[in-house]
Amino acid sequence: MTTGAKEFISLVKHPVKFRLFLLTKLPSAYFSGVRVKSISESSCEVVVPYKWFSKNPFRSTYFACLSMAAEMSTGVLAMANTYKRKPAVSMLVTAVSSSYFKKASGITIFTCEDGPAIAATIEKAVTSGEGQTIIAKSVGRNSQGEVVAEFLITWSFKSKKS
């Protein structure tokens, strides 16, 4: 793990600093209550609650809020591996696919365990100088451990070599 990744993970683990980041950079995630529950170099868990700001008229969590949490569980792992990277690496979501299995009517926890594969893809983008993509999987479970939704987020990485 790079020094930048370690530094970024410590920033994410700091509740005040990360909430300030959300408020300034991702206000919709901040107000809907999306939060990082845990993070390591290999996995990330993100929580989205069922509350006034995240609900829909059908008494469940709005799919866009579920999508935010799923993307964040993959994106935080990607950001950790691109943070303060020399040369800098650009990252972009190029596709999202989702499947829903149960009504999300409580807390939903999204887990992505693709950290090593994401890191390898970013490293390949830097060493090859060519854009690389990876499909990261995020699985959302309710408090009973039942699968609520699965998201496949396609990330594209490209080195900004001059």
Side-chain angles (χ1 to χ4, degrees):
M1 181 180 344
T2 66
T3 312
K6 289 177 186 175
E7 185 178 338
F8 185 80
I9 287 172
S10 70
L11 288 172
V12 171
K13 288 182 176 180
H14 192 283
V16 175
K17 288 181 182 178
F18 193 67
R19 284 196 172 114
L20 188 60
F21 170 80
L22 287 178
L23 182 61
T24 58
K25 303 293 184 191
L26 298 166
S28 56
Y30 176 85
F31 288 113
S32 63
V34 174
R35 301 289 183 263
V36 173
K37 181 179 179 187
S38 68
I39 181 172
S40 69
E41 63 184 84
S42 60
S43 67
C44 182
E45 288 185 326
V46 174
V47 177
V48 61
Y50 171 70
K51 63 180 200 173
W52 178 82
F53 202 86
S54 63
K55 70 179 184 174
N56 64 30
F58 311 108
R59 292 187 221 135
S60 62
T61 305
Y62 184 47
F63 84 95
C65 292
L66 296 173
S67 182
M68 273 193 289
E71 180 191 0
M72 188 179 291
S73 72
T74 63
V76 166
L77 292 170
M79 287 178 73
N81 286 285
T82 60
Y83 186 71
K84 293 188 176 180
R85 184 89 188 226
K86 301 284 187 225
V89 176
S90 64
M91 52 187 272
L92 178 68
V93 171
T94 59
V96 177
S97 173
S98 58
S99 299
Y100 304 90
F101 305 103
K102 287 191 76 68
K103 194 173 194 174
S105 56
I107 290 175
T108 306
I109 301 170
F110 281 90
T111 305
C112 176
E113 298 178 334
D114 294 336
I118 291 169
T121 302
I122 293 167
E123 192 59 40
K124 187 173 180 183
V126 170
T127 57
S128 73
E130 296 177 10
Q132 301 294 320
T133 61
I134 184 172
I135 299 173
K137 182 178 181 178
S138 184
V139 179
R141 291 183 170 81
N142 61 21
S143 56
Q144 291 80 36
E146 301 166 314
V147 175
V148 171
E150 288 183 356
F151 282 78
L152 300 176
I153 314 281
T154 304
W155 285 98
S156 174
F157 301 100
K158 185 164 176 151
S159 177
K160 294 181 180 180
K161 288 182 182 177
S162 48

